[in-house]
Amino acid sequence: MSLQRYLWIMSESQTAGVEALKALGHPVRARLFNLLSVYGAATATDLGKRIGESSGSTSYHLRQLEKHGLVIEDTERGTARERYWQRIPGPVEIGSPEITATPAGLSAVQMAASALNQVEEQLVRDFINYRSEELPEEWQRASDDSSAYMWLTAEQTARLGAEVHDVMERYRAEAAEVPGAARVFLKYRVFPVALENEPEPDLLTRPIEVVGQSPIDLGSTASAPTASDIPTDSPEEQQP
């Protein structure tokens, strides 16, 4: 299985290793990484206010991201008492074939992708429920939320993906020099949901797979998982 994900659209990417993926799989770190991607360099105090965490907690998680090469200090800003952090420049690839070839690597990819996906889904919910009404009319008309089901071969799917990435890269490069450009969120997904001759899944009884947890059986009367059921970092990763 190959699960690939790019956190920046460019021609070349840096591949996150297993330990970096484990670090990014933490929900707080995924939010911090995304904030730095969207808004640029910031202090632990500013980031903590955005996500409702103390500056001490935020500093700890930023240091973990720094330890695994995902964020760096912005040495041109800040003071001796207040450090500015920024995400590493360029793209980060999550889920290279070499990483997903091992069970440990695949598990780390799934955890990181799941955590980042939750952050991005919150962006979509915020846009639908709040931001769409607050945007200027020109941005309301320009914004789009589309989906489609298509019949494609694997070769066509790969070609479609390459073309979409080329278009995104072209607009990314152009927008940097256009007055009035805004930071926009664009996500591209394509994967098979029904293969030829594959039996149709029973979506009403099939357990929900939650990364890091036992499957949740919708047909049982067991209660939903609580916060205590959710796995945390290993003891050496725990915040002091």
Side-chain angles (χ1 to χ4, degrees):
M1 175 182 178
S2 176
L3 175 60
Q4 293 191 340
R5 172 192 185 87
Y6 294 87
L7 302 182
W8 201 283
I9 305 302
M10 289 177 63
S11 56
E12 297 181 357
S13 63
Q14 175 177 323
T15 302
V18 173
E19 295 305 315
L21 292 170
K22 290 180 180 178
L24 200 53
H26 191 289
V28 172
R29 295 170 202 160
R31 294 177 69 187
L32 293 174
F33 188 84
N34 186 72
L35 285 173
L36 293 176
S37 298
V38 175
Y39 299 107
T43 66
T45 300
D46 291 337
L47 292 168
K49 291 177 181 178
R50 284 181 174 270
I51 65 174
E53 293 279 336
S54 68
S55 59
S57 172
T58 307
S59 293
Y60 167 76
H61 290 298
L62 286 167
R63 289 196 300 272
Q64 293 301 309
L65 291 173
E66 179 189 35
K67 174 183 176 181
H68 297 290
L70 294 168
V71 304
I72 56 177
E73 183 179 359
D74 185 349
T75 56
E76 297 182 358
R77 305 176 64 177
T79 64
R81 299 185 59 184
E82 193 79 277
R83 302 170 68 186
Y84 271 80
W85 297 91
Q86 61 185 0
R87 61 152 288 167
I88 56 173
V92 176
E93 179 185 353
I94 293 180
S96 67
E98 293 77 16
I99 295 293
T100 56
T102 66
L106 179 58
S107 177
V109 168
Q110 291 172 332
M111 291 181 65
S114 178
L116 289 164
N117 186 69
Q118 290 182 32
V119 173
E120 293 168 352
E121 291 298 335
Q122 185 62 54
L123 283 176
V124 176
R125 288 192 293 270
D126 289 344
F127 170 74
I128 293 173
N129 295 326
Y130 308 106
R131 290 278 296 158
S132 60
E133 299 178 357
E134 302 170 356
L135 290 173
E137 184 177 351
E138 62 177 347
W139 278 106
Q140 291 188 35
R141 293 196 304 267
S143 300
D144 186 22
D145 184 8
S146 301
S147 61
Y149 290 95
M150 307 171 65
W151 288 100
L152 298 173
T153 65
E155 187 276 331
Q156 288 175 318
T157 302
R159 190 169 69 247
L160 171 62
E163 292 176 4
V164 170
H165 280 250
D166 286 344
V167 171
M168 287 193 286
E169 168 62 12
R170 174 163 55 84
Y171 274 90
R172 187 195 65 80
E174 291 178 1
E177 303 176 0
V178 176
R183 194 74 152 162
V184 302
F185 172 69
L186 190 154
K187 181 158 183 100
Y188 172 72
R189 288 173 174 161
V190 59
F191 50 84
V193 294
L195 296 176
E196 187 178 7
N197 299 323
E198 181 183 54
E200 184 175 345
D202 187 346
L203 299 180
L204 295 179
T205 60
R206 185 174 64 179
I208 298 176
E209 296 287 347
V210 181
V211 175
Q213 300 181 25
S214 299
I216 303 172
D217 190 346
L218 295 179
S220 71
T221 57
S223 59
T226 63
S228 61
D229 299 321
I230 300 175
T232 59
D233 288 317
S234 58
E236 61 270 20
E237 281 278 275
Q238 291 288 349
Q239 179 180 347

